[in-house]
Amino acid sequence: MARPTQAHMSRTIGTNKPSAVKDMTKRQMEYYMGAKLLEVGVNPKSAIYRWSLETQGNNEIWTYSAYWADSKDKLLQQEQESQNNSN
């Protein structure tokens, strides 16, 4: 069975929450993602990370994603192609 090469973590936060709460949530998500990668045998420093934000009504859905191995290479290639196409 193929080993996963990416991980995603989402949290829902009220849009009216103070920025301090949002900053704390962001740091917690980064910490837990690193711990999860270590748990599955991936060096957190070998991964790349991306944030995404989706607004739904009075809530923001934050997703923190980690990519390593093949997924990392594929994402970097897609980002490079996207950047080249926008120039």
Side-chain angles (χ1 to χ4, degrees), residues 29-79:
M29 290 176 72
E30 290 169 343
Y31 174 83
Y32 288 126
M33 179 66 80
K36 187 53 142 175
L37 293 179
L38 287 172
E39 188 177 295
V40 297
V42 174
N43 180 350
K45 292 184 179 187
S46 71
I48 57 172
Y49 303 90
R50 298 294 183 264
W51 283 99
S52 64
L53 174 71
E54 180 183 342
T55 303
Q56 289 185 346
N58 291 330
N59 291 316
E60 295 174 342
I61 301 172
W62 293 8
T63 302
Y64 191 48
S65 301
Y67 303 89
W68 62 95
D70 294 343
S71 290
K72 176 182 176 179
D73 297 339
K74 190 180 293 187
L75 178 65
L76 290 173
Q77 182 179 3
Q78 288 172 348
E79 289 177 348

Short mmCIF file of all heavy atoms in Angstrom, two decimals, residues 29-79:
data_model
loop_
_atom_site.label_atom_id
_atom_site.label_comp_id
_atom_site.label_asym_id
_atom_site.label_seq_id
_atom_site.Cartn_x
_atom_site.Cartn_y
_atom_site.Cartn_z
N MET A 29 -2.19 24.80 15.34
CA MET A 29 -2.30 23.94 14.16
C MET A 29 -0.92 23.59 13.61
O MET A 29 -0.67 22.45 13.22
CB MET A 29 -3.17 24.60 13.09
CG MET A 29 -4.64 24.68 13.46
SD MET A 29 -5.63 25.57 12.26
CE MET A 29 -5.66 24.41 10.89
N GLU A 30 -0.02 24.57 13.58
CA GLU A 30 1.34 24.32 13.11
C GLU A 30 2.05 23.30 14.01
O GLU A 30 2.72 22.39 13.52
CB GLU A 30 2.12 25.63 13.04
CG GLU A 30 1.63 26.55 11.93
CD GLU A 30 2.21 27.95 12.00
OE1 GLU A 30 2.74 28.36 13.06
OE2 GLU A 30 2.12 28.66 10.97
N TYR A 31 1.87 23.45 15.31
CA TYR A 31 2.48 22.52 16.26
C TYR A 31 1.94 21.10 16.07
O TYR A 31 2.70 20.14 15.97
CB TYR A 31 2.23 23.00 17.69
CG TYR A 31 2.71 22.02 18.73
CD1 TYR A 31 4.04 22.01 19.13
CD2 TYR A 31 1.83 21.09 19.30
CE1 TYR A 31 4.50 21.10 20.08
CE2 TYR A 31 2.28 20.18 20.24
CZ TYR A 31 3.61 20.19 20.62
OH TYR A 31 4.05 19.28 21.55
N TYR A 32 0.62 20.97 16.01
CA TYR A 32 0.01 19.65 15.88
C TYR A 32 0.35 18.99 14.55
O TYR A 32 0.51 17.77 14.48
CB TYR A 32 -1.50 19.72 16.09
CG TYR A 32 -1.88 19.97 17.53
CD1 TYR A 32 -2.70 21.02 17.88
CD2 TYR A 32 -1.40 19.16 18.55
CE1 TYR A 32 -3.03 21.27 19.20
CE2 TYR A 32 -1.71 19.40 19.87
CZ TYR A 32 -2.54 20.46 20.19
OH TYR A 32 -2.85 20.69 21.50
N MET A 33 0.48 19.78 13.49
CA MET A 33 0.86 19.20 12.21
C MET A 33 2.28 18.63 12.30
O MET A 33 2.53 17.52 11.85
CB MET A 33 0.77 20.24 11.09
CG MET A 33 1.17 19.70 9.73
SD MET A 33 0.08 18.42 9.08
CE MET A 33 -1.24 19.46 8.45
N GLY A 34 3.18 19.39 12.89
CA GLY A 34 4.55 18.89 13.05
C GLY A 34 4.59 17.62 13.87
O GLY A 34 5.30 16.67 13.53
N ALA A 35 3.82 17.58 14.95
CA ALA A 35 3.77 16.38 15.80
C ALA A 35 3.20 15.19 15.03
O ALA A 35 3.70 14.07 15.15
CB ALA A 35 2.94 16.65 17.05
N LYS A 36 2.18 15.43 14.22
CA LYS A 36 1.57 14.36 13.45
C LYS A 36 2.56 13.80 12.42
O LYS A 36 2.65 12.59 12.22
CB LYS A 36 0.30 14.87 12.75
CG LYS A 36 -0.49 13.78 12.08
CD LYS A 36 -0.77 12.67 13.05
CE LYS A 36 -2.12 12.08 12.90
NZ LYS A 36 -2.28 10.92 13.80
N LEU A 37 3.30 14.70 11.77
CA LEU A 37 4.28 14.24 10.79
C LEU A 37 5.35 13.38 11.47
O LEU A 37 5.72 12.33 10.94
CB LEU A 37 4.91 15.42 10.06
CG LEU A 37 3.99 16.21 9.15
CD1 LEU A 37 4.74 17.36 8.50
CD2 LEU A 37 3.35 15.33 8.10
N LEU A 38 5.83 13.82 12.63
CA LEU A 38 6.80 13.00 13.36
C LEU A 38 6.22 11.64 13.71
O LEU A 38 6.90 10.62 13.61
CB LEU A 38 7.23 13.72 14.64
CG LEU A 38 8.16 14.91 14.46
CD1 LEU A 38 8.34 15.64 15.78
CD2 LEU A 38 9.50 14.46 13.90
N GLU A 39 4.96 11.63 14.08
CA GLU A 39 4.29 10.38 14.45
C GLU A 39 4.26 9.38 13.30
O GLU A 39 4.38 8.18 13.51
CB GLU A 39 2.86 10.71 14.90
CG GLU A 39 2.09 9.57 15.49
CD GLU A 39 0.72 10.04 15.96
OE1 GLU A 39 0.66 10.84 16.90
OE2 GLU A 39 -0.28 9.58 15.37
N VAL A 40 4.11 9.88 12.09
CA VAL A 40 4.04 8.98 10.93
C VAL A 40 5.40 8.80 10.25
O VAL A 40 5.49 8.18 9.19
CB VAL A 40 2.97 9.42 9.89
CG1 VAL A 40 1.59 9.40 10.50
CG2 VAL A 40 3.30 10.78 9.30
N GLY A 41 6.45 9.36 10.87
CA GLY A 41 7.80 9.11 10.37
C GLY A 41 8.28 10.08 9.30
O GLY A 41 9.17 9.74 8.52
N VAL A 42 7.70 11.28 9.25
CA VAL A 42 8.12 12.28 8.27
C VAL A 42 8.82 13.42 9.01
O VAL A 42 8.30 13.91 10.02
CB VAL A 42 6.90 12.83 7.49
CG1 VAL A 42 7.30 13.97 6.58
CG2 VAL A 42 6.22 11.72 6.72
N ASN A 43 9.98 13.81 8.53
CA ASN A 43 10.70 14.93 9.11
C ASN A 43 9.94 16.21 8.77
O ASN A 43 9.80 16.55 7.59
CB ASN A 43 12.12 14.99 8.56
CG ASN A 43 12.92 16.14 9.12
OD1 ASN A 43 12.41 17.02 9.80
ND2 ASN A 43 14.21 16.13 8.83
N PRO A 44 9.43 16.95 9.76
CA PRO A 44 8.66 18.16 9.47
C PRO A 44 9.44 19.20 8.66
O PRO A 44 8.85 19.98 7.93
CB PRO A 44 8.31 18.72 10.85
CG PRO A 44 8.39 17.54 11.76
CD PRO A 44 9.45 16.66 11.19
N LYS A 45 10.77 19.18 8.75
CA LYS A 45 11.57 20.13 7.99
C LYS A 45 11.67 19.76 6.51
O LYS A 45 12.04 20.59 5.70
CB LYS A 45 12.96 20.26 8.60
CG LYS A 45 12.93 20.92 9.97
CD LYS A 45 14.30 21.13 10.52
CE LYS A 45 14.19 21.82 11.88
NZ LYS A 45 15.48 22.19 12.41
N SER A 46 11.31 18.53 6.17
CA SER A 46 11.38 18.11 4.77
C SER A 46 10.09 18.43 4.02
O SER A 46 10.04 18.30 2.80
CB SER A 46 11.68 16.61 4.66
OG SER A 46 10.55 15.85 5.08
N ALA A 47 9.07 18.83 4.74
CA ALA A 47 7.77 19.12 4.12
C ALA A 47 7.66 20.61 3.79
O ALA A 47 8.39 21.43 4.34
CB ALA A 47 6.64 18.71 5.06
N ILE A 48 6.73 20.92 2.88
CA ILE A 48 6.35 22.31 2.65
C ILE A 48 4.91 22.46 3.12
O ILE A 48 4.15 21.50 3.15
CB ILE A 48 6.52 22.74 1.18
CG1 ILE A 48 5.70 21.85 0.25
CG2 ILE A 48 7.98 22.78 0.79
CD1 ILE A 48 5.67 22.36 -1.18
N TYR A 49 4.55 23.67 3.48
CA TYR A 49 3.26 23.92 4.10
C TYR A 49 2.52 25.02 3.36
O TYR A 49 3.13 25.97 2.87
CB TYR A 49 3.45 24.33 5.57
CG TYR A 49 4.21 23.28 6.36
CD1 TYR A 49 5.59 23.32 6.45
CD2 TYR A 49 3.53 22.25 6.99
CE1 TYR A 49 6.29 22.36 7.15
CE2 TYR A 49 4.22 21.28 7.70
CZ TYR A 49 5.60 21.34 7.77
OH TYR A 49 6.28 20.38 8.47
N ARG A 50 1.21 24.90 3.33
CA ARG A 50 0.36 25.91 2.70
C ARG A 50 -0.88 26.11 3.55
O ARG A 50 -1.44 25.16 4.10
CB ARG A 50 -0.06 25.49 1.29
CG ARG A 50 1.09 25.31 0.31
CD ARG A 50 1.79 26.62 0.02
NE ARG A 50 2.84 26.48 -0.97
CZ ARG A 50 4.12 26.32 -0.70
NH1 ARG A 50 4.53 26.22 0.56
NH2 ARG A 50 5.01 26.24 -1.66
N TRP A 51 -1.34 27.38 3.64
CA TRP A 51 -2.57 27.73 4.32
C TRP A 51 -3.63 28.03 3.28
O TRP A 51 -3.33 28.61 2.24
CB TRP A 51 -2.38 28.99 5.17
CG TRP A 51 -1.67 28.75 6.46
CD1 TRP A 51 -0.36 28.97 6.72
CD2 TRP A 51 -2.24 28.27 7.67
NE1 TRP A 51 -0.07 28.65 8.03
CE2 TRP A 51 -1.22 28.22 8.63
CE3 TRP A 51 -3.53 27.86 8.04
CZ2 TRP A 51 -1.43 27.78 9.92
CZ3 TRP A 51 -3.73 27.43 9.34
CH2 TRP A 51 -2.70 27.39 10.27
N SER A 52 -4.87 27.67 3.57
CA SER A 52 -5.99 28.14 2.75
C SER A 52 -7.09 28.60 3.69
O SER A 52 -7.18 28.15 4.83
CB SER A 52 -6.49 27.04 1.81
OG SER A 52 -7.01 25.96 2.53
N LEU A 53 -7.90 29.52 3.20
CA LEU A 53 -8.96 30.12 4.01
C LEU A 53 -10.23 30.17 3.18
O LEU A 53 -10.22 30.59 2.03
CB LEU A 53 -8.55 31.53 4.43
CG LEU A 53 -9.60 32.37 5.15
CD1 LEU A 53 -9.83 31.83 6.55
CD2 LEU A 53 -9.16 33.81 5.19
N GLU A 54 -11.31 29.70 3.79
CA GLU A 54 -12.62 29.73 3.13
C GLU A 54 -13.59 30.38 4.12
O GLU A 54 -13.61 30.03 5.29
CB GLU A 54 -13.06 28.31 2.81
CG GLU A 54 -14.40 28.21 2.14
CD GLU A 54 -14.81 26.75 1.91
OE1 GLU A 54 -13.95 25.86 1.96
OE2 GLU A 54 -16.01 26.53 1.72
N THR A 55 -14.37 31.34 3.64
CA THR A 55 -15.35 32.01 4.49
C THR A 55 -16.73 31.43 4.22
O THR A 55 -17.15 31.31 3.07
CB THR A 55 -15.35 33.52 4.22
OG1 THR A 55 -14.04 34.03 4.45
CG2 THR A 55 -16.33 34.24 5.14
N GLN A 56 -17.42 31.05 5.30
CA GLN A 56 -18.79 30.54 5.22
C GLN A 56 -19.61 31.27 6.27
O GLN A 56 -19.52 30.98 7.46
CB GLN A 56 -18.84 29.04 5.46
CG GLN A 56 -18.26 28.21 4.35
CD GLN A 56 -18.45 26.72 4.60
OE1 GLN A 56 -18.78 26.28 5.69
NE2 GLN A 56 -18.25 25.93 3.56
N GLY A 57 -20.38 32.23 5.80
CA GLY A 57 -21.21 33.00 6.74
C GLY A 57 -20.34 33.75 7.72
O GLY A 57 -19.47 34.53 7.34
N ASN A 58 -20.57 33.50 9.03
CA ASN A 58 -19.81 34.17 10.08
C ASN A 58 -18.60 33.36 10.54
O ASN A 58 -18.06 33.61 11.61
CB ASN A 58 -20.71 34.45 11.29
CG ASN A 58 -21.75 35.51 10.97
OD1 ASN A 58 -21.51 36.40 10.15
ND2 ASN A 58 -22.90 35.40 11.59
N ASN A 59 -18.19 32.39 9.74
CA ASN A 59 -17.06 31.53 10.10
C ASN A 59 -16.00 31.53 9.01
O ASN A 59 -16.30 31.71 7.83
CB ASN A 59 -17.53 30.09 10.33
CG ASN A 59 -18.36 29.95 11.57
OD1 ASN A 59 -18.05 30.50 12.62
ND2 ASN A 59 -19.45 29.22 11.46
N GLU A 60 -14.77 31.32 9.45
CA GLU A 60 -13.66 31.09 8.54
C GLU A 60 -13.20 29.65 8.75
O GLU A 60 -13.07 29.20 9.88
CB GLU A 60 -12.49 32.02 8.85
CG GLU A 60 -12.80 33.48 8.64
CD GLU A 60 -11.67 34.39 9.09
OE1 GLU A 60 -10.79 33.94 9.86
OE2 GLU A 60 -11.68 35.54 8.65
N ILE A 61 -12.97 28.95 7.65
CA ILE A 61 -12.43 27.60 7.74
C ILE A 61 -10.98 27.68 7.29
O ILE A 61 -10.70 27.97 6.13
CB ILE A 61 -13.23 26.61 6.87
CG1 ILE A 61 -14.68 26.59 7.34
CG2 ILE A 61 -12.59 25.22 6.95
CD1 ILE A 61 -15.60 25.80 6.45
N TRP A 62 -10.08 27.47 8.23
CA TRP A 62 -8.65 27.49 7.96
C TRP A 62 -8.18 26.07 7.72
O TRP A 62 -8.47 25.17 8.51
CB TRP A 62 -7.88 28.04 9.15
CG TRP A 62 -8.11 29.49 9.46
CD1 TRP A 62 -9.02 30.33 8.91
CD2 TRP A 62 -7.41 30.25 10.42
NE1 TRP A 62 -8.93 31.57 9.46
CE2 TRP A 62 -7.94 31.55 10.40
CE3 TRP A 62 -6.38 29.97 11.30
CZ2 TRP A 62 -7.46 32.56 11.22
CZ3 TRP A 62 -5.91 30.98 12.12
CH2 TRP A 62 -6.44 32.26 12.07
N THR A 63 -7.44 25.84 6.68
CA THR A 63 -6.87 24.53 6.40
C THR A 63 -5.36 24.67 6.27
O THR A 63 -4.88 25.52 5.51
CB THR A 63 -7.46 23.93 5.12
OG1 THR A 63 -8.88 23.84 5.27
CG2 THR A 63 -6.89 22.54 4.85
N TYR A 64 -4.67 23.86 7.03
CA TYR A 64 -3.20 23.84 7.01
C TYR A 64 -2.80 22.53 6.37
O TYR A 64 -3.23 21.46 6.81
CB TYR A 64 -2.67 23.94 8.44
CG TYR A 64 -1.19 24.19 8.56
CD1 TYR A 64 -0.56 25.18 7.82
CD2 TYR A 64 -0.42 23.46 9.45
CE1 TYR A 64 0.79 25.43 7.96
CE2 TYR A 64 0.94 23.70 9.60
CZ TYR A 64 1.54 24.69 8.85
OH TYR A 64 2.87 24.94 8.98
N SER A 65 -2.00 22.60 5.32
CA SER A 65 -1.64 21.41 4.56
C SER A 65 -0.13 21.24 4.54
O SER A 65 0.62 22.22 4.45
CB SER A 65 -2.14 21.53 3.12
OG SER A 65 -3.54 21.67 3.10
N ALA A 66 0.31 19.99 4.62
CA ALA A 66 1.72 19.64 4.54
C ALA A 66 1.90 18.69 3.36
O ALA A 66 1.08 17.81 3.14
CB ALA A 66 2.18 18.96 5.83
N TYR A 67 2.97 18.91 2.62
CA TYR A 67 3.27 18.07 1.45
C TYR A 67 4.73 17.63 1.53
O TYR A 67 5.61 18.43 1.84
CB TYR A 67 3.07 18.87 0.16
CG TYR A 67 1.69 19.44 -0.01
CD1 TYR A 67 1.37 20.70 0.51
CD2 TYR A 67 0.70 18.73 -0.67
CE1 TYR A 67 0.10 21.22 0.37
CE2 TYR A 67 -0.58 19.25 -0.81
CZ TYR A 67 -0.87 20.49 -0.29
OH TYR A 67 -2.13 21.01 -0.44
N TRP A 68 4.99 16.37 1.23
CA TRP A 68 6.35 15.86 1.21
C TRP A 68 6.46 14.81 0.11
O TRP A 68 5.46 14.42 -0.49
CB TRP A 68 6.76 15.30 2.57
CG TRP A 68 5.93 14.14 3.04
CD1 TRP A 68 6.21 12.81 2.88
CD2 TRP A 68 4.68 14.19 3.75
NE1 TRP A 68 5.22 12.04 3.44
CE2 TRP A 68 4.26 12.87 3.98
CE3 TRP A 68 3.87 15.23 4.20
CZ2 TRP A 68 3.08 12.56 4.64
CZ3 TRP A 68 2.69 14.92 4.85
CH2 TRP A 68 2.31 13.59 5.08
N ALA A 69 7.67 14.41 -0.20
CA ALA A 69 7.95 13.42 -1.23
C ALA A 69 7.30 13.82 -2.56
O ALA A 69 7.44 14.95 -3.00
CB ALA A 69 7.53 12.03 -0.76
N ASP A 70 6.60 12.88 -3.21
CA ASP A 70 6.01 13.13 -4.53
C ASP A 70 5.03 14.30 -4.54
O ASP A 70 4.99 15.08 -5.49
CB ASP A 70 5.29 11.88 -5.05
CG ASP A 70 6.25 10.73 -5.33
OD1 ASP A 70 7.47 10.98 -5.45
OD2 ASP A 70 5.78 9.59 -5.43
N SER A 71 4.22 14.42 -3.50
CA SER A 71 3.24 15.52 -3.44
C SER A 71 3.93 16.87 -3.38
O SER A 71 3.47 17.84 -3.98
CB SER A 71 2.31 15.36 -2.24
OG SER A 71 1.45 14.26 -2.42
N LYS A 72 5.03 16.94 -2.67
CA LYS A 72 5.79 18.19 -2.58
C LYS A 72 6.32 18.57 -3.96
O LYS A 72 6.16 19.72 -4.39
CB LYS A 72 6.95 18.01 -1.59
CG LYS A 72 7.88 19.20 -1.49
CD LYS A 72 9.00 18.89 -0.52
CE LYS A 72 10.02 20.00 -0.44
NZ LYS A 72 11.10 19.68 0.52
N ASP A 73 6.92 17.61 -4.65
CA ASP A 73 7.46 17.88 -5.98
C ASP A 73 6.37 18.32 -6.95
O ASP A 73 6.54 19.27 -7.71
CB ASP A 73 8.16 16.64 -6.54
CG ASP A 73 9.37 16.24 -5.70
OD1 ASP A 73 9.92 17.09 -4.96
OD2 ASP A 73 9.77 15.05 -5.78
N LYS A 74 5.23 17.64 -6.90
CA LYS A 74 4.11 17.96 -7.79
C LYS A 74 3.56 19.36 -7.50
O LYS A 74 3.30 20.13 -8.43
CB LYS A 74 3.00 16.92 -7.64
CG LYS A 74 1.91 17.02 -8.67
CD LYS A 74 0.84 15.96 -8.47
CE LYS A 74 1.42 14.59 -8.74
NZ LYS A 74 0.39 13.53 -8.72
N LEU A 75 3.40 19.70 -6.22
CA LEU A 75 2.88 21.02 -5.85
C LEU A 75 3.83 22.13 -6.30
O LEU A 75 3.40 23.13 -6.87
CB LEU A 75 2.64 21.11 -4.35
CG LEU A 75 2.14 22.46 -3.85
CD1 LEU A 75 0.74 22.76 -4.41
CD2 LEU A 75 2.13 22.50 -2.34
N LEU A 76 5.13 21.94 -6.06
CA LEU A 76 6.10 22.96 -6.47
C LEU A 76 6.10 23.14 -7.98
O LEU A 76 6.20 24.27 -8.47
CB LEU A 76 7.49 22.58 -5.96
CG LEU A 76 7.69 22.69 -4.45
CD1 LEU A 76 9.05 22.14 -4.04
CD2 LEU A 76 7.52 24.12 -3.97
N GLN A 77 5.96 22.05 -8.71
CA GLN A 77 5.91 22.13 -10.17
C GLN A 77 4.65 22.90 -10.62
O GLN A 77 4.72 23.76 -11.49
CB GLN A 77 5.92 20.74 -10.79
CG GLN A 77 5.92 20.76 -12.30
CD GLN A 77 5.96 19.36 -12.89
OE1 GLN A 77 5.95 18.36 -12.18
NE2 GLN A 77 6.01 19.28 -14.20
N GLN A 78 3.52 22.60 -10.01
CA GLN A 78 2.27 23.29 -10.36
C GLN A 78 2.37 24.78 -10.04
O GLN A 78 1.93 25.62 -10.83
CB GLN A 78 1.09 22.69 -9.60
CG GLN A 78 0.67 21.33 -10.08
CD GLN A 78 -0.37 20.69 -9.17
OE1 GLN A 78 -0.63 21.16 -8.06
NE2 GLN A 78 -0.96 19.60 -9.65
N GLU A 79 2.94 25.12 -8.90
CA GLU A 79 3.09 26.53 -8.53
C GLU A 79 4.03 27.26 -9.49
O GLU A 79 3.78 28.40 -9.86
CB GLU A 79 3.58 26.65 -7.09
CG GLU A 79 2.54 26.27 -6.08
CD GLU A 79 3.03 26.31 -4.64
OE1 GLU A 79 4.26 26.42 -4.40
OE2 GLU A 79 2.19 26.23 -3.74
#
